[in-house]
Amino acid sequence: MDPLGDSLLARLVGLELASVVFVRDYLQLDFDGPRLSCYVWPIIDADGTTRSLGDAGYRDTLCALIGQTVVSIDEALAPGFSYGSR
């Protein structure tokens, strides 16, 4: 059984990140229609580099993902998104 089968976040796989909006103390991510408001900042794993809020380049990494397609979501161990080729 797929542990993410009933996950709302799993529905983002295959969608393109359209925009990143920084709002005071939270983040909004728009994906080809659906909008995800993040009150816990996601951990970003892109091209073998993992970044968290407070890391140098975190916001730049988020913005660089605009136009990329979500290929996987890991919400079981550490919430976050992975972008790039599988």
Side-chain angles (χ1 to χ4, degrees):
M1 176 181 233
D2 180 7
L4 296 177
D6 293 330
S7 167
L8 291 175
L9 287 178
R11 295 178 188 182
L12 298 176
V13 173
L15 297 181
E16 183 178 298
L17 180 62
S19 68
V20 175
V21 181
F22 300 96
V23 184
R24 293 189 184 221
D25 60 349
Y26 68 97
L27 173 72
Q28 290 181 326
L29 304 171
D30 293 320
F31 298 91
D32 295 333
R35 173 175 286 163
L36 177 65
S37 293
C38 302
Y39 298 98
V40 175
W41 291 72
I43 297 167
I44 307 301
D45 180 12
D47 299 323
T49 302
T50 301
R51 288 196 171 89
S52 300
L53 181 63
D55 291 345
Y58 178 77
R59 289 175 175 84
D60 291 335
T61 300
L62 277 172
C63 290
L65 295 174
I66 294 171
Q68 299 295 311
T69 300
V70 178
V71 295
S72 69
I73 303 256
D74 180 4
E75 63 179 304
L77 299 175
F81 302 100
S82 294
Y83 291 83
S85 59
R86 271 193 156 174

